[in-house]
């Protein structure tokens, strides 16, 4: 005895609609392209930011000179002139101001010249110390000991109308220290 089997589609299954398939296919291509662009824009922005962020020569006000007593070193903070709206707290930069004489100011970047850790000022010993690898700098910013290849970066400063300001439109590097 032979049996014959027939595969039968359910009676209520609708026939495939080629037009609908094509529309769904295009929709998935468009959504895929949009999500690729959405994911790629921030990455592209990050990669191009060094080129797009042009240095500025803006003078940044640090306050009246009376805020900086002679023979003392003070930590100041200021807003990065190259900041973006989404930078949050990272837009605040810091520097050490040393008033060596009545009209002599030195302003140092807080970043160690070895790998960039923020240094701390210790007035008792008159030294800047880096917590990362033990770099030490004298009060005038020159290198005292440890791995840093040079002294602290010095930011250009000026006094006008009794107020101290600095040029801080770009971060110093070993290749371009000043
Ligand atoms: S980062 Fe300061 S000593 Fe290495």
């Amino acid at each position: 005895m032979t049996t014959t089997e027939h595969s039968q589609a359910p009676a209520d299954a609708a026939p495939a609609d080629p037009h609908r398939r094509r529309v769904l296919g295009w929709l998935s291509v468009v959504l895929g392209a949009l999500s690729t662009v959405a994911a790629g824009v921030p990455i592209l922005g990050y990669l191009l930011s060094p080129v797009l962020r042009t240095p500025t020569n803006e003078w940044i006000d640090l306050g009246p000179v009376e805020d900086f007593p002679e023979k003392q070193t003070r930590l100041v903070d200021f807003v990065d002139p190259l900041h973006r709206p989404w930078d949050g707290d990272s837009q605040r930069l810091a520097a050490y101001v040393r008033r060596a004489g009545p009209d002599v100011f030195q302003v140092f970047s807080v970043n160690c010249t070895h790998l960039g850790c923020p240094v701390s000022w210790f007035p008792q010993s008159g030294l800047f110390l880096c917590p990362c690898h033990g770099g030490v700098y004298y009060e005038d910013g020159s290198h005292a000991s440890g791995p840093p290849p040079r002294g602290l970066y010095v930011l250009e400063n000026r006094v006008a109308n009794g107020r101290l300001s600095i040029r801080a439109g770009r971060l110093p590097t070993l290749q371009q220290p000043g």
Side-chain angles (χ1 to χ4, degrees), residues 12 18 21 63 87 110 114 174:
D12 57 347
R21 273 193 187 178
D87 281 350
V110 292
H114 181 220
L174 283 177

Side-chain angles (χ1 to χ4, degrees), residues 112 114-117 130 132-135 147-148:
C112 179
H114 181 220
L115 295 179
C117 293
C130 177
C132 291
H133 313 103

Side-chain angles (χ1 to χ4, degrees), residues 6-7 20 25 35 41 46 48 53 66 77-78 92 104 116 118-120 123-124 131 139 153:
H6 298 283
S7 60
R20 201 175 112 206
S35 57
V41 165
Y46 171 77
L48 292 178
R53 300 179 88 183
E66 302 86 56
D77 70 354
F78 55 92
R92 298 209 69 83
V104 183
V119 299
S120 299
Q124 305 85 350
E139 65 179 354
Y153 295 119

Side-chain angles (χ1 to χ4, degrees), residues 82-121:
L82 297 177
H83 76 277
R84 304 268 177 84
W86 53 84
D87 281 350
D89 282 347
S90 67
Q91 69 182 276
R92 298 209 69 83
L93 302 178
Y96 283 107
V97 177
R98 173 178 182 247
R99 188 169 186 178
D103 301 315
V104 183
F105 290 87
Q106 283 184 299
V107 184
F108 306 113
S109 166
V110 292
N111 300 102
C112 179
T113 56
H114 181 220
L115 295 179
C117 293
V119 299
S120 299
W121 167 244

